Amino acid sequence: MIGEAIVFFREERKLTQQELGERVGMSQKTISTIECNQREVSDEEIKRFSQALMVPENLLKVHNGVNQHVYSNTVERDLINAQTYVQGKEELVSEIIESDKKQISFLQEMVTKLNDTLSKVLSKGE
C-alpha cells in the first residue's frame, strides 16, 4: 500500500510526519491517516510526495514489500538517490540558465535603448 511506502521513504529521509506534512501542504494528522492506509491518495498528492521525498512516483505506488526489497540493497538505494539528486540539480541548473537568458535579454534591450537615446542626444548637440 502507498501508506507503507510513504512511511518507508519518510523514515529513510529522517523526516517526521510534521516535516513531511509541511513539505506537501498537509497536516501531521493527514500524513498519519495516509500512512495507516485510512485515506486514498490522489495522483496530484502522489506527485507532491514524490517531490518531497525525492523518489520517483512509481516507487511510491509499488507495494511496500517490493520497496523494502529494492531499498535493502545499498548499491541500488544509493544509485536511485544519486539519480534523483542529479535530476534535481539538472532541473535547477536549467532554471538558472533560463533565468540568466531572460536577464541577459532584458539587459541587451536596455543597452540598445540607452544607445539610441545617447545617439539622439549627441545628434541634437551637433
Side-chain angles (χ1 to χ4, degrees), residues 14-97:
K14 298 185 180 7
L15 295 172
T16 65
Q17 289 179 340
Q18 181 69 35
E19 291 167 331
L20 179 58
E22 290 170 3
R23 289 184 181 193
V24 297
M26 296 178 180
S27 69
Q28 179 275 324
K29 185 175 181 176
T30 302
I31 298 296
S32 176
T33 303
I34 290 170
E35 289 184 351
C36 292
N37 295 308
Q38 296 174 345
R39 178 186 177 282
E40 293 292 319
V41 181
S42 71
D43 288 340
E44 177 58 35
E45 290 170 334
I46 291 172
K47 186 175 187 173
R48 292 191 334 236
F49 278 113
S50 169
Q51 291 170 348
L53 295 168
M54 296 178 18
V55 295
E57 290 177 38
N58 62 340
L59 282 182
L60 291 177
K61 295 177 183 178
V62 175
H63 187 273
N64 187 46
V66 175
N67 280 335
Q68 287 178 347
H69 173 71
V70 169
Y71 272 76
S72 66
N73 184 318
T74 304
V75 173
E76 287 179 333
R77 182 184 68 227
D78 290 345
L79 177 61
I80 290 171
N81 286 338
Q83 288 171 338
T84 303
Y85 177 79
V86 168
Q87 288 170 349
K89 286 291 188 183
E90 288 173 349
E91 290 173 10
L92 180 60
V93 167
S94 294
E95 289 176 19
I96 291 170
I97 289 171

Side-chain angles (χ1 to χ4, degrees), residues 91-106:
E91 290 173 10
L92 180 60
V93 167
S94 294
E95 289 176 19
I96 291 170
I97 289 171
E98 190 60 35
S99 175
D100 286 350
K101 285 179 181 178
K102 289 178 183 177
Q103 289 178 358
I104 289 169
S105 177
F106 172 77

